[in-house]
Amino acid sequence: MSLHGTYDEQNIFAKIIRGEAPCYKLYEDEDVLAFLDLFPQSYGHCLVIPKHAPARNLLEIDDANLAKLMAVVRKLTQAVVDELEPAGVQVAQFNGAPAGQTVFHIHVHIVPRYEGDKLGIHATHQGDAEELKALQARLVKRING
Ligand code: 5GP
C-alpha cells in the first residue's frame, strides 16, 4: 500500500526542508531544494525535492511544482556532468516500496555513472563525511559559477 497513503510530515525530507535535520545542501530556491544523498550509490549522487508540495510520489504532485522540480533536476544534472565528468548519468524517481522507494516525499535521484563502476546498494552505506563535504563544495562552486 506504500503507493497510496497519507503524507507524513515527519518524514526525513520534510525535516530537512524545515531545517530540523541536516543535509549537504547544493541548491535552494523558493520552491526546490537539492542536496547530496547521505548513502550515495555513486560519487556525486544527488537528490532534488519540492519544498511546498506535500506529495509522496509522482502521482500526487501538482504540475506547477513538478515543472519547477524538473527544471532544477536538469540544471543540477548539467552541473554534475560538467564538474564530475561521468561517462553517464541516471535520473531516477521511485513510486512505492516495491519500486524501491524508501522515503515518502517525492524526490528525484541524480546518479553519475563511471566507466567500469558498479552501482552501490540502494540507501545502505553512509558516505564519508569529509568526502561528502568536499564534494558539496565542488558542486556548489560549479552551480554558482
Ligand atoms: P528512495 O529509496 O525513496 O527513492 O530514495 C531515498 C534516498 O534518500 C536514498 O537514496 C537514501 O540513501 C537517501 N536518504 C535516506 N535518508 C537520508 C538522509 O537522512 N539524508 C539524505 N541526504 N539522504 C537520505
Side-chain angles (χ1 to χ4, degrees), residues 16 29 72 83 90 93 107 113:
I16 288 173
D29 63 28
V72 174
E83 180 62 29
Q90 290 178 339
Q93 188 273 319
H107 52 278
R113 299 302 306 272

Side-chain angles (χ1 to χ4, degrees), residues 18-95:
R18 293 195 297 268
E20 295 167 10
C23 73
Y24 295 91
K25 191 191 291 185
L26 299 173
Y27 173 87
E28 182 169 23
D29 63 28
E30 189 58 39
D31 302 295
V32 180
L33 178 65
F35 49 91
L36 293 176
D37 196 297
L38 196 55
F39 306 86
Q41 288 184 263
S42 76
Y43 184 67
H45 184 170
C46 307
L47 299 169
V48 189
I49 65 175
K51 287 163 60 178
H52 306 299
R56 292 157 48 91
N57 56 48
L58 185 65
L59 304 177
E60 296 180 358
I61 190 170
D62 62 280
D63 288 351
N65 274 305
L66 180 61
K68 288 171 186 166
L69 178 71
M70 292 312 292
V72 174
V73 167
R74 185 161 68 170
K75 180 185 166 91
L76 184 55
T77 302
Q78 186 68 65
V80 164
V81 166
D82 290 346
E83 180 62 29
L84 305 180
E85 300 183 332
V89 58
Q90 290 178 339
V91 175
Q93 188 273 319
F94 307 144
N95 302 281

Side-chain angles (χ1 to χ4, degrees), residues 98-141:
Q101 188 174 14
T102 57
V103 177
F104 294 89
H105 176 109
I106 184 172
H107 52 278
V108 178
H109 296 262
I110 299 170
V111 184
R113 299 302 306 272
Y114 305 92
E115 217 67 71
D117 268 15
K118 287 209 175 97
L119 202 59
I121 303 167
H122 188 57
T124 305
H125 301 296
Q126 187 160 339
D128 173 74
E130 287 308 312
E131 187 173 291
L132 291 173
K133 219 185 295 175
L135 177 60
Q136 177 193 28
R138 278 182 75 179
L139 290 174
V140 166
K141 193 169 171 206

